[in-house]
């Protein structure tokens, strides 16, 4: 199995930040290098054991969707090879797992789209009959398909904190407050920008879900992140429709009333739920079997969706 990369060590560029999965480096005032590690977070805690090939899967799958859905909204890609912006002895850290992207101002929300009632949405629905203030039909079962996809934004949490579901009005307010300076002179307001993100997210999800269905996969829900350039133009950033940001279910094993098996990190979450762990850092070590099966699930998700073999 490929030696996993828990943390990149690019010294030829300034390190700006390490997220749950990605390491971000500055190239210049207009571009960033984003290295996708093999780190895995669960319950917002970074686990000590990396998942081999995970970073390659996330990068390859995001590139697949960026190309397939590029007509919906501009994205962060520059077309520059990551090997061209680092030192020669650092190229093995970026090949197949890094992107050179535009520097954009991120919206302060997670743009979540749900096509099925599951996860935190299921908990909200059980308690209130609604998700993020959107009233839903009564009597839905767990994992039920919604009449149409819904946009249910969440706050963006720091590493180690939990995202929280918020209303669309709160999303508009947060966007205006955080991006007020960047929006000056663009002719746009936060409310308009949040609405653009909502419309783009629903179209991205709908087209992706329709395609995935032809490959025997249900995309139950997903989250997108968006940013703006100096003109206020919305761009799709971060990752898109990967097993880290989405719930992928095998269509032939789906049924209402249960949480279906999935190609994402739910397998790890299920293992962690059996442990005596308070879901706070530091996270527990993972058994070799869990690591290997999780890696295999990520690779299978990519290969089933794209019809390609992971290099």
């Amino acid at each position: 199995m490929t030696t996993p990369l828990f943390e990149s060590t690019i010294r030829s560029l300034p390190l700006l930040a390490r997220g749950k999965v990605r390491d971000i480096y500055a190239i210049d005032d207009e571009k960033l290098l984003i290295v996708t590690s093999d780190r895995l977070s669960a319950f917002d805690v970074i686990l000590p054991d990396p998942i081999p090939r995970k970073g390659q899967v996330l990068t390859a799958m995001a590139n697949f969707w960026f190309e397939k859905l590029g007509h919906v909204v501009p994205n962060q890609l520059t077309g520059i090879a990551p090997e061209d912006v680092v030192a020669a002895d650092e190229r093995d850290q970026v090949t197949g797992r890094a992107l050179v992207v535009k520097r954009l101002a991120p919206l302060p929300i997670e743009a979540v789209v749900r096509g099925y009632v599951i996860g935190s949405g299921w908990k909200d629905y059980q308690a209130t009959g609604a998700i993020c203030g959107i009233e839903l039909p009564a009597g839905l079962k767990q994992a039920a398909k919604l009449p149409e996809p819904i946009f249910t934004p969440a706050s963006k949490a720091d590493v180690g904190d939990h995202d929280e579901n918020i209303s669309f009005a709160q999303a508009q307010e947060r966007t205006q407050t955080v991006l007020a300076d960047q929006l000056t002179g663009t002719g746009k307001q936060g409310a308009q920008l949040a609405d653009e993100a909502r419309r783009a997210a629903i179209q991205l999800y709908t087209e992706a879900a329709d395609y995935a269905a032809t490959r025997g996969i249900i995309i139950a829900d997903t989250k997108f992140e968006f940013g703006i350039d100096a003109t206020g133009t919305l761009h799709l950033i971060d990752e898109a429709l990967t097993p880290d940001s989405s719930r992928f279910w095998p269509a032939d094993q789906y049924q209402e009333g249960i949480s279906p098996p999935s190609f994402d990190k739910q397998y790890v979450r299920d293992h962690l739920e059996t442990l005596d762990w308070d879901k706070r850092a530091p996270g527990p070590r993972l058994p070799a079997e869990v690591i290997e099966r999780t890696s295999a699930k990520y690779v299978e998700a990519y290969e089933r969706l794209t019809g390609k073999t992971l290099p």
Side-chain angles (χ1 to χ4, degrees), residues 223-237:
K223 77 171 180 66
F224 300 105
E225 295 198 33
F226 294 100
I228 56 170
D229 63 13
T231 68
T233 300
L234 194 72
H235 287 67
L236 181 61
I237 66 171

Side-chain angles (χ1 to χ4, degrees), residues 136-154:
L136 298 175
L140 294 178
K141 296 180 180 178
Q142 184 182 25
K145 185 175 183 179
L146 294 169
E148 59 184 15
I150 59 174
F151 181 74
T152 59

Side-chain angles (χ1 to χ4, degrees), residues 12-41:
S12 58
L13 297 173
L15 176 68
L16 296 182
R18 292 193 197 278
K20 294 173 184 174
V21 175
R22 288 168 181 79
D23 300 336
I24 304 174
Y25 296 86
I27 297 174
D28 54 34
D29 291 342
E30 297 182 351
K31 298 184 291 295
L32 301 171
L33 174 72
I34 300 182
V35 182
T36 304
S37 74
D38 294 319
R39 295 192 294 271
L40 186 143
S41 70

Side-chain angles (χ1 to χ4, degrees), residues 115-138:
Y116 294 74
V117 187
I118 198 71
S120 63
W122 170 240
K123 293 178 182 177
D124 287 354
Y125 174 74
Q126 287 179 293
T128 67
I131 303 177
C132 291
I134 300 172
E135 293 291 332
L136 298 175

